[in-house]
Amino acid sequence: MRPPDRSPGVESALLLALAAAPHAAPAPAGAVAVALLTLGWLVLAPRPRREMAVGAVGFLLALLLAGASAWLAAAPLSAPEEEAAQVARLERAYWSSLAAEVEAAARLLPELPLEGDRLRAAFESLARSAAAAGSPRRTFLLFDPAGEAAAWSGAGLLHDLAAPALPASGSGFVQSASSATLFAIASPASGWRLVAAESRSRLEDPPLAGRDAGRFRARPWFLADAGEPQAAAGRLHLEGAPAGADLATAAGLARAAAGVAALTLLALAALRALGLALLAGTVVP
């Protein structure tokens, strides 16, 4: 049985709106508009059961993704006290992870002092530690008892970590007007110091670790008592208004919703083309 006649004007208007919605409205509103318009297209222009099933599944998924995106984007702002407590917890997690990485890297080093093949093994060991680190920014530096860099690997640093100015162990930071270098130190042998460090722009993601760290992306930040290396790590302060939603995740879900809607439209077009080909008596390979 053939489906009811469709209104070409209504169908064309809906398809044009579908094409424009992701660009005319910001996420997640664009994704919500895409999902609602596609559902309207199915309701106002009825089609065979096969197409209805494909469209219903695809657009339901798009609506769920768009709804999750809208819910994240509309999350209320945190109170200043609540944000401060959360930032302190995530900052402690960051320093703990940095300290754990330098301790793990120290255990993988060859026997010290470095002589002959052990020097090459030290470079290879630090390269493996840098590759396995939790951030692509990580740099590892091994200082001998004289304060000279004996081996190193990683992305490099924006600040000079001179051995005489570093504490014997623990963690700290060096900061300038636009960036900061954060580090943790372990002692793999008497007099030797292994440093795990990374440099960050103060306009980029703050040094936080944990599931909720994404809420504070792209917030300007600074570390208190800047200037000289600090023996006690911490003192992170965020600038700007308290954080609200994880906007990066919300935008990703909105893009996923629009993508699912687009793939559903493509699948419906393929089904229609197949139906027309069969009706025309065309042999479909």
Side-chain angles (χ1 to χ4, degrees), residues 91-109 125-126 128-130 132-135 138-140 169-172 182-187 194-197 209 233:
E91 185 193 5
R92 287 193 298 270
Y94 170 84
W95 289 109
S96 296
S97 66
L98 191 61
E101 286 182 14
V102 75
E103 292 289 348
R107 290 192 294 269
L108 296 176
L109 285 171
S125 174
L126 294 182
R128 289 193 295 270
S129 295
S135 167
R138 290 286 195 273
T139 294
F140 289 85
S169 61
S171 54
L182 307 97
F183 60 82
I185 301 174
S187 178
L194 177 62
V195 179

Side-chain angles (χ1 to χ4, degrees), residues 2 7 9 14 16 39 70 83 96 121 125 150 158 167 170 202 218-219 232 236 256 260 264 270 275 281:
R2 295 187 61 183
S7 170
L14 286 171
L16 287 174
L39 285 173
E83 177 179 278
S96 296
S125 174
L158 296 176
R202 286 176 47 203
R219 286 277 299 276
L236 175 67
V260 169
T264 305

